[in-house]
Amino acid sequence: AQRRARVPQLDLAEDRERFARLLKQLDIQQPDNGIARSYAEAFKIAEGLGYPVLVRPSYVLGARAMQIVYDDENLKDYMTYAVSASPEHPVLIDKFLDDAIEVDVDALGDGEQVVIGGIMEHIERAGVHSGDSACSLPPKSISREVQDEIRLHTVALATALNVRGLMNVQFAVQGTRVYVLEVNPRASRTVPFVSKAIGVPLAKIAARIMVGEKLADVGFVREIQPAHIAVKEAVFPFNKFPGVDTLLGPEMKSTGEVMGIDSSFGLAFAKAQIGGGMRLPLSGRVFISVRDEDKPGVTAAAEKLHRAGFIIVATSGTARYFAARGIPAEIVNKVQEGSPHIADQIKEGKVAMVINTPTDAHSHADSFLIRRCALDYQIPYFTTIAGAEAAPEGIEYLKERDFDVK
């Protein structure tokens, strides 16, 4: 109680309402959302938005206690055990944008001019905390038209908020539609990465602006378009915590980051993986087991790996799906189906890489054990389709030639 009296809780409910009004004035979209102050309100809002939804306490910092909720049962568990909903501490509920690409933008403003520092496309899907997601600068797959819209929104927001110094904006791109997720008029954790990628000390310039200088004074007046690709990868401490699940989500779990630079995305991605302690294999057996909605997305990755000479290993459902599309796959037992199962093969060194997405909101015992075994036996693993798509691209380049220093 004494600590709470000294340090007021940051409550985002009022800020959210003001922010929504600002976005409406600027004609910028945000995901549909609501604020729940009771159990009844939470279920009513979730029903109106449609599942899945992203829920969090209004006073959260660092994405603590954020969760993607898929049905009424999950929402009831969240409201009962994770948060005590009350008028003092409402719960923020957003429509979760499935299959969206998340984008980070760092920019500098001096009250008169706004300059983009960098636009970063997250490799992991929206819903994975920005600090945990690998990202590419410049963006890998976002069209020039969508990037230009993101630039316009960033400048409009920085101008409206009268930003003097650094600002970070997080967007979600779903098809050709651009949504603002959040705006932070401060330095972001991405600033060191962007500064290295473009060769400009953004934090130093921001500090000079904050004491009265202008962007023109320091000579930073236009966005720099690097001739290379820079990929940031997060580094995780999972090997220090036996039994902890490696599945990524809204809560940040990484404790550091590395980057790879090259002239192609594939090589830059491969370098970033090596920097993070994960060397992509050039041959062997790849285990793939994904939820039904991810099967179309993982098919292209499986085809590339098959063409590169890898043997695809899958559980029965995924193997049948691949076979119907001309991709041969060995069938292996799920853990619950008994030995010899996939966890046994991982432990015996028969698997070179793992691609595994969770079956649903609950991390099933099979999925958890597979991810944990891959970590414990130092086998590269990917828990998102975006990561699974990026890995074969890196492997293709590594098979053609070894990389050198860029």
Side-chain angles (χ1 to χ4, degrees), residues 12 54-57 59-68 78 127-132 170 182 186 189 249-253:
L12 302 180
L54 184 68
V55 292
R56 55 179 166 163
Y59 52 84
V60 71
L61 288 174
R64 180 66 182 160
M66 287 179 64
Q67 187 173 318
I68 301 170
Y78 182 87
V128 173
H129 192 281
S130 60
D132 287 353
Q170 292 177 22
E182 62 180 71
R186 56 161 172 77
R189 69 177 60 81
E251 285 192 355
M252 183 174 168
K253 298 178 180 179

Side-chain angles (χ1 to χ4, degrees), residues 229 259-264 267-268 270-272 274 397-398 401-406:
I229 306 290
M259 67 187 291
I261 293 176
D262 214 289
S263 54
S264 69
L267 280 175
K271 286 181 176 181
I274 292 169
Y397 276 97
L398 290 177
R401 61 183 175 90
D402 198 7
F403 61 77
D404 50 17
V405 174
K406 176 68 173 177

Side-chain angles (χ1 to χ4, degrees), residues 325-342:
R325 286 150 184 82
I327 305 171
E330 293 183 5
I331 297 177
V332 65
N333 282 349
K334 298 177 181 178
V335 176
Q336 63 189 24
E337 293 171 344
S339 293
H341 49 61
I342 182 57

Side-chain angles (χ1 to χ4, degrees), residues 61-313:
L61 288 174
R64 180 66 182 160
M66 287 179 64
Q67 187 173 318
I68 301 170
V69 168
Y70 292 84
D71 52 40
D72 284 344
E73 183 181 351
N74 294 153
L75 183 58
K76 181 180 178 182
D77 290 343
Y78 182 87
M79 298 294 289
T80 302
Y81 301 110
V83 174
S84 178
S86 69
E88 291 77 26
H89 299 305
V91 173
L92 308 183
I93 304 178
D94 294 82
K95 173 62 181 174
F96 178 65
L97 302 175
D98 214 355
D99 296 323
I101 298 170
E102 199 162 329
V103 176
D104 254 285
V105 181
D106 284 326
L108 280 166
D110 63 7
E112 297 175 2
Q113 185 180 11
V114 179
V115 177
I116 304 292
I119 299 176
M120 294 151 278
E121 177 183 342
H122 290 207
I123 295 171
E124 274 71 32
R125 63 185 173 87
V128 173
H129 192 281
S130 60
D132 287 353
S133 179
C135 69
S136 172
L137 189 163
K140 175 179 180 286
S141 62
I142 299 172
S143 70
R144 175 60 60 182
E145 292 76 19
V146 170
Q147 289 185 50
D148 287 342
E149 183 178 347
I150 287 170
R151 290 184 176 93
L152 288 172
H153 290 342
T154 301
V155 172
L157 287 164
T159 302
L161 295 170
N162 194 27
V163 169
R164 313 250 176 149
L166 276 158
M167 180 184 77
N168 173 263
V169 190
Q170 292 177 22
F171 295 93
V173 177
Q174 195 174 47
T176 58
R177 302 184 73 178
V178 178
Y179 299 87
V180 170
L181 300 181
E182 62 180 71
V183 179
N184 299 298
R186 56 161 172 77
S188 168
R189 69 177 60 81
T190 52
V191 167
F193 167 68
V194 176
S195 297
K196 293 293 184 184
I198 67 173
V200 175
L202 296 179
K204 182 177 182 178
I205 293 173
R208 292 175 64 177
I209 291 170
M210 292 171 73
V211 296
E213 294 191 45
K214 299 295 183 182
L215 285 162
D217 298 333
V218 298
F220 186 57
V221 294
R222 63 177 57 88
E223 179 183 354
I224 292 175
Q225 303 283 352
H228 53 261
I229 306 290
V231 173
K232 182 207 83 172
E233 181 59 277
V235 178
F236 298 93
F238 296 132
N239 61 334
K240 301 289 196 299
F241 298 94
V244 171
D245 198 351
T246 61
L247 189 63
L248 303 180
E251 285 192 355
M252 183 174 168
K253 298 178 180 179
S254 62
T255 51
E257 60 189 30
V258 296
M259 67 187 291
I261 293 176
D262 214 289
S263 54
S264 69
F265 171 80
L267 280 175
F269 180 79
K271 286 181 176 181
Q273 298 308 304
I274 292 169
M278 185 185 290
R279 183 172 287 273
L280 297 174
L282 302 183
S283 62
R285 302 164 84 243
V286 177
F287 172 71
I288 303 176
S289 179
V290 298
R291 55 183 185 165
D292 287 343
E293 52 265 48
D294 287 337
K295 286 173 182 172
V298 82
T299 300
E303 286 177 339
K304 285 183 179 180
L305 290 167
H306 173 60
R307 288 199 307 268
F310 287 86
I311 297 171
I312 306 299
V313 180

Side-chain angles (χ1 to χ4, degrees), residues 11-21 30-46 49 53-59 75 79 83 85-95:
D11 195 314
L12 302 180
E14 290 185 18
D15 287 342
R16 165 169 286 211
E17 291 168 351
R18 288 197 295 269
F19 185 51
R21 290 194 294 270
Q30 69 175 148
D32 293 335
N33 59 79
I35 301 173
R37 294 175 173 83
S38 67
Y39 290 95
E41 278 189 350
F43 288 111
K44 184 177 180 180
I45 291 169
L49 296 176
V53 294
L54 184 68
V55 292
R56 55 179 166 163
S58 64
Y59 52 84
L75 183 58
M79 298 294 289
V83 174
S86 69
E88 291 77 26
H89 299 305
V91 173
L92 308 183
I93 304 178
D94 294 82
K95 173 62 181 174

